[in-house]
Amino acid sequence: MQPKITLTLLLCILCRWGYGQVPFTFQELAVAPGTKAHFTVPITDGTIETFLPITIFHGTEVGPVQGLTAGVHGYEYGPILAGQRLIGTIDPTALRGTVILVQVASVGSFLGRSPYVSPLDEKNLNRVFPGSPEGTVTERIAYFLSTKVIPRCTHFVDAHSGDAPEDLADYSAYYQHDDLPEASQVGRDMARHMGYDRVVIFRTTDKDYMKPASPSTYCSAEAFKQGIPAVDIECGRLGLVEEKLVEKIVQGISSLMAHLGMTSGTPLPSAGTLFIAERTYLSSQYTGFFYPLKTSGEYVQEGMKLGYITDFFNQALTEIYAPATGIILYMLGTPPVNEGETLVSIGLVE
């Protein structure tokens, strides 16, 4: 008896003959070389329902598999809009390898206009990795990404911006661990070729979340823990949509793809990059109104006045001074402040 040729097998044979590349299977569907496919992946805990919008771009030649998540925090609009733009700019017929684009990882947070957490279950997606198949919807999203998306990737980028109260300086960042030298070096090269003047080093050798029995907590940390070179982007501030920063994210991803040999483009130059290995944080000792006198990206000297806090009757409570010399990477950019909240993060330049 002659064996039957299934449709998938026939597609593989035709694609090999035409391109030298086999289809990319995702959610039991085959994405042919030189094409893109949109997926709406349902996520539910049995009561609450949400979904993940994912696009696969499958190139005509074998190459890297680039994972990209946006909207892990749904109020961070810059990366989300950059992802929408990439849907139209990534050309699978001119692509070597595959791109897995998760356009909005936390749809509940995005549609609910909710900073940090999803209103569906009050969970912060970027604090629950690797998630759980039996958990809340946010934990199940993390589990799907940890088991169905991240393991398929050879390189991974998690794109963020400043949430509603966060005045952020734009930068790329990569994970470094003494026991993962190759993934660390590849991640460093990725971060250097995305067009950002500042590169933050996430040193993780002594971090609890890198221990085998500990949860990875963060989306990109989960990728790195699986041995995949991982990069973060922070580009945008205060939940705003700023065209130049949206475009900067698009250009950064395009530059990275060129660096990885996925496209024929030219990577952005990496000359003049400042590496930041340590960050100093200062938290508020009061609840009230914060008045910043500096903005993110500014270089400050230790002891320089950064702002002040008043009570609800406009009475001065304290003045805020720089705890170190370096670049302001983060500063609270809106008036409300609670005791214990981070007021400023200063990056110490290598």
Side-chain angles (χ1 to χ4, degrees):
M1 179 182 294
Q2 294 292 327
K4 293 182 179 179
I5 299 180
T6 66
L7 180 59
T8 300
L9 178 58
L10 179 60
L11 184 59
C12 289
I13 294 171
L14 291 174
C15 289
R16 275 292 193 189
W17 178 76
Y19 291 115
Q21 168 81 299
V22 299
F24 187 88
T25 301
F26 186 75
Q27 293 293 94
E28 301 182 353
L29 295 176
V31 182
T35 69
K36 66 182 176 185
H38 301 305
F39 295 82
T40 301
V41 179
I43 304 288
T44 181
D45 64 358
T47 302
I48 299 172
E49 297 181 354
T50 186
F51 64 94
L52 282 168
I54 298 175
T55 299
I56 306 292
F57 307 82
H58 193 40
T60 57
E61 298 180 42
V62 176
V65 179
Q66 172 67 65
L68 172 61
T69 49
V72 167
H73 291 133
Y75 205 96
E76 297 175 1
Y77 299 131
I80 295 171
L81 292 183
Q84 297 299 295
R85 197 164 298 177
L86 286 167
I87 293 174
T89 59
I90 297 176
D91 180 5
T93 65
L95 183 65
R96 177 177 173 267
T98 307
V99 176
I100 306 174
L101 170 61
V102 181
Q103 286 97 323
V104 189
S106 182
V107 170
S109 174
F110 175 71
L111 293 179
R113 303 183 182 91
S114 175
Y116 303 124
V117 301
S118 170
L120 300 179
D121 57 6
E122 298 301 319
K123 296 278 188 179
N124 183 335
L125 178 56
N126 213 32
R127 297 296 185 272
V128 300
F129 280 84
S132 168
E134 305 299 329
T136 67
V137 287
T138 296
E139 292 167 334
R140 293 180 191 228
I141 291 169
Y143 182 77
F144 182 89
L145 295 174
S146 297
T147 58
K148 302 299 183 182
V149 173
I150 291 173
R152 306 292 302 276
C153 302
T154 60
H155 304 76
F156 191 80
V157 176
D158 187 25
H160 288 264
S161 63
D163 219 318
E166 298 175 339
D167 179 18
L168 282 185
D170 54 272
Y171 61 84
S172 59
Y174 73 95
Y175 284 81
Q176 187 276 334
H177 194 288
D178 290 349
D179 294 337
L180 296 169
E182 183 176 352
S184 300
Q185 184 59 51
V186 173
R188 182 182 178 94
D189 291 340
M190 290 167 62
R192 287 178 59 244
H193 286 89
M194 300 186 75
Y196 293 90
D197 295 331
R198 295 171 284 262
V199 174
V200 175
I201 306 169
F202 295 157
R203 299 195 187 279
T204 65
T205 302
D206 298 323
K207 298 296 185 182
D208 287 341
Y209 62 75
M210 287 299 294
K211 296 177 181 177
S214 299
S216 52
T217 307
Y218 312 106
C219 181
S220 49
E222 174 60 29
F224 188 61
K225 199 169 181 178
Q226 293 187 27
I228 301 165
V231 171
D232 272 15
I233 294 172
E234 290 284 1
C235 188
R237 60 195 183 92
L238 300 170
L240 299 174
V241 176
E242 296 177 282
E243 170 59 27
K244 65 179 182 179
L245 297 180
V246 173
E247 185 59 27
K248 187 169 186 176
I249 298 171
V250 173
Q251 292 177 356
I253 297 300
S254 299
S255 176
L256 175 60
M257 292 169 62
H259 164 68
L260 296 176
M262 301 178 73
T263 68
S264 59
T266 301
L268 295 170
S270 60
T273 301
L274 297 176
F275 286 92
I276 298 168
E278 301 293 337
R279 289 168 290 168
T280 297
Y281 296 87
L282 181 65
S283 298
S284 176
Q285 296 180 332
Y286 298 93
T287 295
F289 291 71
F290 176 57
Y291 294 87
L293 299 177
K294 301 291 182 181
T295 60
S296 65
E298 288 193 61
Y299 189 87
V300 295
Q301 297 282 343
E302 182 177 358
M304 185 178 289
K305 188 175 179 180
L306 303 181
Y308 59 96
I309 297 175
T310 68
D311 64 14
F312 281 80
F313 301 97
N314 201 30
Q315 300 298 307
L317 293 174
T318 189
E319 295 180 335
I320 306 300
Y321 296 93
T325 297
I327 296 171
I328 297 176
L329 294 177
Y330 163 89
M331 197 161 197
L332 189 64
T334 55
V337 63
N338 294 287
E339 181 180 353
E341 284 185 329
T342 299
L343 291 170
V344 64
S345 171
I346 296 176
L348 312 182
V349 179
E350 282 193 337

